Amino acid sequence: MSNEKEYGLLGPFKTIPKEAIYCSRIHEKHPFGIFIYGENPQELSFSLVLLELSLVLVLTHIIRHLLKPLKQPRVISEILGGMIVGPSCLSRYKKFANWIFPGQSAYIYRNIGTFAFMYFMFLSGVKMDLLMIKKATKKQWYIGMVGMVVPTAATALVAVCVRNSLGPEMMKVSSIWGISASLAITAFPVLHPIMRELNLLSSDIGRMALATAVIGDVVGINGLVAFEIAKQAEGRPLAPLGYAMSGLFFSIIIFGGVRLLMFWIIKITPEGKPVEQVYVISILAGVLAVAFLTDMLGLAIVNGPWYLGLAIPDGPPLGSTLTHKCESFVLEILMPFAYLNIGLMTDVFAMRDDWSKLQPLFFVALTGYLTKFVSTLLVTRFFDMSMRDGVTLSLIMSLRGQVELLLFIHWLDFQMIGIPQFTMFVLLTTVMTGIATPLINIVYNPNRPYMINKRRNIQHTPPNTELNVLVCFLDEESVPGMIHLLEVSNPTVHSPFLVYALHLVELVGRAAPMFIDHTGEPKENDKKSQKDYSGAVHKSFQTVHETRGDVIKVHSFTSVAPKRSMYQDVCELALNRKASLIILPYNMSPMRGLAGTDMIQNSVKSLNYTVLDHAPCSVAMLVDKGDFRAPTNLRMSVTLQYHFAMLFLGGADAREALACADRMAGNPNVSLTVIRFLAYNGEGDNEMEKKLDDGLVTSFWVKYEGNEQVAYREVVVRNGEETVAAIRAMNSEDYDLWIVGRKLGVNPILIEGLSSWSENLELGVIGDYVASVDLGSTASVLVVQQQVLRDKETNSGGLRGRISRYFSDILCF
């Protein structure tokens, strides 16, 4: 380790002898004008900082774009971006290094990088929910404990065997213990962002991985604290007692007084309102104060901010406010300095001459990674988890990232390792995560459980049986229309509706998704969650349950999840409750009266797309234009008459829409007009689809032949233009609701020329038209898609199919 000064632009902090100190000219802070006055940006400190930050950001985004088809997480591109700027690549050339990092400017980025890691760990602590430990199952405890103990023991054993080949600092017992414990930990702050990128947070395996990581962190942090105490106590017999008292002091102050203060802030904050700005600023300033105290007591500087984050209750209002205001700035502006700091300390050329000294440490690290994977896999098999799920969980628990990089810097400061060893650990971290992430994407398909080949739709539900319906909503505005749709769908004593009302809330301010069942008495750990996420949105459904409980029974749920993975909770609830229909909102707002323009969808667009693609049953989307509401006067609601129009263009979706209209036609307050569109001379017809359509339409016509409230008509058209003209002619009548099939099985002749006009593809061509302002109708629209039968093996393609698709994506890119 004597020649480590030759490598890298940054090494561990050391005392600088007086004869090594030299003076340099102070750079100007701000330029007067590069182009006007001919200023050299190299001589301006602020310009250099902007240049270096811009360079890292550009390189990182380029690498992220290049690695996107390889399914690499963001942290990999950021590490590689820092390494490219560092002495492993560009700064290998002295001219470039002296130009962009003049004098001792590289040390500035170490300080800013440490500052970034402090706030990164603080936000990670804010998002963590320590109550997950109480909720953890026996399986999760065993996986977490075995995944910690076995790798630690195996790594320590191998390190003891090769102890004589390690460096003088590394061969100490405290160093062996620190490295063994660090290699066994799967850090929650590392796991969560990668799981979010892979869209696995709401999946079964994702929830288990997050809970297991929290357990491992709580156990592993004690080992790392013991390592800190042991290293600081070397040569000072009374030091362990002092550090133990320091740890106790922090526990009492942060988890006692600070947590009480946070609950007081939450208590004085009005319900539904964000936390006042002064409290947010005070907490962010408190991060710096806690970091100072931590460093003063001799502990790792990021420990204090992380403990402070853990003391802050996750979720709304405080946790979500802090995350919303700080996360983007920390991740997008501060963290690039941290990765630049890592890159400046990494030098791959330093490993070339010291490989003989690195081999023993390499085998120690390899032992830790392999035993972590194998021990986790064996425990999952012991609990009868499938091999696919076991391998996936083992790969997830093998992910490495920011926390490991922090530990490597800490070892460098303790002079346990030099620049060659540091570089090797950074490369191993990058390789482990770079291999595990695409393998997770190949092995595990979170949508696989929703692929079923049993019919769950309205058309094939036997009459006079209970109908299970899942109603989803994001806000209170869409609830009245949903409830009115259920009431006009004619629930009866012989055919009641069992409604599952699911309130979808975006996950903000906490890491782990939540799924809350509001039925029955909540458990002690779930009372706060129910209080935070139950409100007026569920009271309306509860009122329906109380007033019409003989025909409509309601069970209320809340899903708190990222927008990208909300559909997983929707599909899983529909699958477990054997729902035949999912009803989704499609709220639209006009462009302030601009004629000829389509309406603008809200944030439910992506949710609708993913549910339509993966739903295990039929799906209906309600475009509520505001008039589709139940009257407040109950006596008036009994006598009020409704006029619905059903547009039948053929295909499976149209047949499902007709089945829904058939149920509504049984309501004595509903009059129904069914319009069937046929192609001229049968051009473009699919014979099989035509036979199925004829059979269902004939059955419907015979059933309502003598009913004056139900009308059936047929329209023959030659192209999409005539189809639109026929719909426009119908619009002269005063309809309250349009019912259409989405798209599956529609004769292309009927919509010829309309596809390029349509913008809201999730509604289908006809659904989009009748919902648009171009038609000028005030009636709401119900767009129906029939269940798509999916076989798990056929659709997922098995492991071989997913591997082939992975490499085809790379080739296409």
Side-chain angles (χ1 to χ4, degrees), residues 282-302:
S282 299
I283 293 171
L284 295 179
V287 174
L288 302 178
V290 171
F292 171 75
L293 290 174
T294 309
D295 194 40
M296 184 180 68
L297 294 173
L299 301 174
I301 196 169
V302 296

Side-chain angles (χ1 to χ4, degrees), residues 61 94 164 180 201 248 263 265 274 337 356 359 389 394 449 459 482 516 528 549 586 607 611 619 625 632 749 766:
H61 282 79
K94 296 299 183 183
N164 294 331
S180 302
L201 287 179
L248 182 62
F263 279 118
I265 294 174
F337 284 102
S356 59
Q359 281 183 346
D389 290 348
S394 302
Q459 181 184 351
M482 297 283 192
I516 306 167
K528 181 182 180 298
Y586 195 94
L607 171 67
V611 172
V619 180
K625 295 189 179 180
T632 55
I749 299 299
I766 301 301

Side-chain angles (χ1 to χ4, degrees), residues 226-237:
F227 161 72
E228 292 272 354
I229 294 174
K231 286 305 277 185
Q232 297 284 357
E234 289 177 356
R236 288 170 286 180

Side-chain angles (χ1 to χ4, degrees), residues 324-358:
H324 176 72
K325 291 183 177 295
C326 305
E327 188 171 35
S328 296
F329 178 76
V330 171
L331 295 182
E332 303 295 339
I333 303 299
L334 290 183
M335 285 303 290
F337 284 102
Y339 296 111
L340 177 60
N341 174 39
I342 297 294
L344 294 178
M345 290 190 291
T346 304
D347 188 356
V348 294
F349 296 97
M351 300 172 56
R352 181 177 51 193
D353 300 329
D354 289 343
W355 178 243
S356 59
K357 298 179 181 179
L358 295 177

Side-chain angles (χ1 to χ4, degrees), residues 550-576:
D550 55 335
V551 294
I552 301 179
K553 299 177 181 178
V554 180
H555 296 277
S556 297
F557 301 88
T558 298
S559 167
V560 185
K563 286 183 179 179
R564 285 183 60 206
S565 59
M566 278 182 180
Y567 79 95
Q568 295 178 359
D569 283 337
V570 175
C571 294
E572 186 172 357
L573 183 60
L575 180 68
N576 295 337

